[in-house]
Structures are given as structure tokens and as C-alpha cells.
Amino acid sequence: EAGVVQSPRYKIIEKKQPVAFWCNPISGHNTLYWYLQNLGQGPELLIRYENEEAVDDSQLPKDRFSAERLKGVDSTLKIQPAELGDSAVYLCASSLDGPVSYNEQFFGPGTRLTVL
Amino acid sequence: DQQVKQNSPSLSVQEGRISILNCDYTNSMFDYFLWYKKYPAEGPTFLISISSIKDKNEDGRFTVFLNKSAKHLSLHIVPSQPGDSAVYFCAAPHRTDKLIFGTGTRLQVFP
């Protein structure tokens, strides 16, 4: 069974440019997460989806970040415009419904973004 | 406010010896804890967990200990193997679903 798929794996852009990341979760996983991981830090949740509904986006910087999960499967995370401080790894994870104590979160390999 | 803390950024252990990775937390509402392992260029993968109703959980070479009064948990790996070299994250779910991660400890197991 395929795991969580993310693309691209690496992205280098100049500041003020837009960028988008794509995630395909594990089949049957209704819950999808986007995490941000800065260098030397642990992942931090940006947004969580239950099917196509964003149920926790409190940590998403809404002035420049947006996300969508139109059909409750694939998801796209966008930054426009990108800033130097956005350089980080963007991780996507998915799980079955319910609390994490019962349903493991499976992570994709991440997209490493470098903003020049 | 760092609710989950891993104060040792790195640890170096000889193959065959015990590796002990530590984690402290500040939120007394946390009742479940997880350890994730991360290799370079890969996403974190779940390793082992423990509920607050237990003080120990063992899975093969990996054992997690929980000391609730001290708000401290530790991951023991014995015997350590070179393939265990990775970054280890301690995490706790906030309000059942949002994982709060520590900053990670990089373990290096040398021959």
C-alpha cells in the first residue's frame, strides 16, 4: 500500500514568488494534516482537514497561506507571496478518523522549500 | 510556550549499548505520548506510545517510561544498533488530535 505522497520534494524560489505543495494521503484516510518543520524544530500543525472541511486552521498564517482539499482526498497548500522565513520542510500526514491515541498519523516525506 | 521539551539535541552511543532519550512536558492535561523516528529526507514514522495510565510500555528493543509526577518520559533502546541513528521526536496530542512535538534528539550509534 502506498504511503502519503508529496510533491515536489524540493522547491527553490525567490522571495515574493508563489509556491504550491501537493499531498495525496493514504487511501481511506479522511483526516489530513499539514505541518511545518523549521530547522532544528519539531513539526508544528498548520491545518487539519476532516474530509474536505478545515477543522483546525488556527496556526495557518492566513495573509499569505491558503490550503484546500476539494474532494476530501488530495490537498494543496499554497504560499503567496513567499518570504525568506518560509524556508522550511512542509509535511503532510493522514490518519483514519478519531483521536490520535487510536489512529496513527502517517507522514509523507515532506517538501523542502528554500526561499532566496 | 514549549509544552514538550527535549533538552538534549544530540546523543552518541556505541553499538550494543543502551540509548536513553529524554522528554519533559509542561501540560498536565496530556494523557498520551508518542515517540517518532525520522531519517533524513523522510517523514517521521511512529515508533512507540504510552498512555498515562501506564508507566512503562515495551516493544522489542524499545521501551518508553513515563513519570507523571515529574512530567517526564524517556525512550530506552537496548541494544542500540547503527540503523537506530536518526532524529527522535517526543509528541503528545493536544485535545485528542493535534500533535505537539518536541524539538527532537539526534541519535548517532557508532560501531
Side-chain angles (χ1 to χ4, degrees), chain A residues 30-103:
Chain A
N30 294 326
T31 304
L32 184 145
Y33 312 78
W34 282 103
Y35 285 87
L36 164 69
Q37 185 179 10
N38 286 305
L39 187 65
Q41 301 295 314
E44 299 176 35
L45 182 70
L46 287 173
I47 189 168
R48 177 171 72 93
Y49 282 94
E50 293 286 349
N51 297 300
E52 64 272 10
E53 181 183 0
V55 295
D56 183 356
D57 63 355
S58 56
Q59 301 303 311
L60 190 72
K62 298 180 183 62
D63 57 337
R64 297 183 300 107
F65 286 66
S66 64
E68 60 184 12
R69 193 184 183 200
L70 291 176
K71 296 183 178 179
V73 181
D74 295 2
S75 177
T76 303
L77 178 68
K78 297 178 182 178
I79 308 175
Q80 182 170 10
E83 297 179 352
L84 295 176
D86 297 330
S87 295
V89 175
Y90 292 82
L91 293 162
C92 179
S94 70
S95 70
L96 293 170
D97 294 337
V100 71
S101 55
Y102 297 107
N103 293 298

Side-chain angles (χ1 to χ4, degrees), chain B residues 3 6 24 27-28 38 43 50 62 67 74 78 80 83 90 107:
Chain B
Q3 297 186 67
Q6 294 176 258
D24 298 294
N27 190 336
S28 58
K38 186 182 183 303
I50 188 166
F62 302 90
N67 182 332
S74 59
V78 56
S80 301
C90 172
L107 173 66

Side-chain angles (χ1 to χ4, degrees), chain B residues 33-48:
Chain B
F33 302 89
L34 308 90
W35 284 93
Y36 277 80
K37 176 179 181 180
K38 186 182 183 303
Y39 291 117
E42 295 183 13
T45 55
F46 170 74
L47 185 59
I48 192 170

Side-chain angles (χ1 to χ4, degrees), chain B residues 16-70:
Chain B
R17 303 274 190 170
I18 185 171
S19 296
I20 300 176
L21 296 92
N22 294 305
C23 177
D24 298 294
Y25 61 97
T26 58
N27 190 336
S28 58
M29 298 298 290
F30 288 156
D31 59 3
Y32 190 78
F33 302 89
L34 308 90
W35 284 93
Y36 277 80
K37 176 179 181 180
K38 186 182 183 303
Y39 291 117
E42 295 183 13
T45 55
F46 170 74
L47 185 59
I48 192 170
S49 63
I50 188 166
S51 166
S52 61
I53 63 173
K54 296 184 175 181
D55 54 17
K56 175 182 175 182
N57 188 27
E58 188 173 355
D59 183 3
R61 297 185 297 112
F62 302 90
T63 303
V64 57
F65 295 91
L66 175 62
N67 182 332
K68 284 175 289 186
S69 61

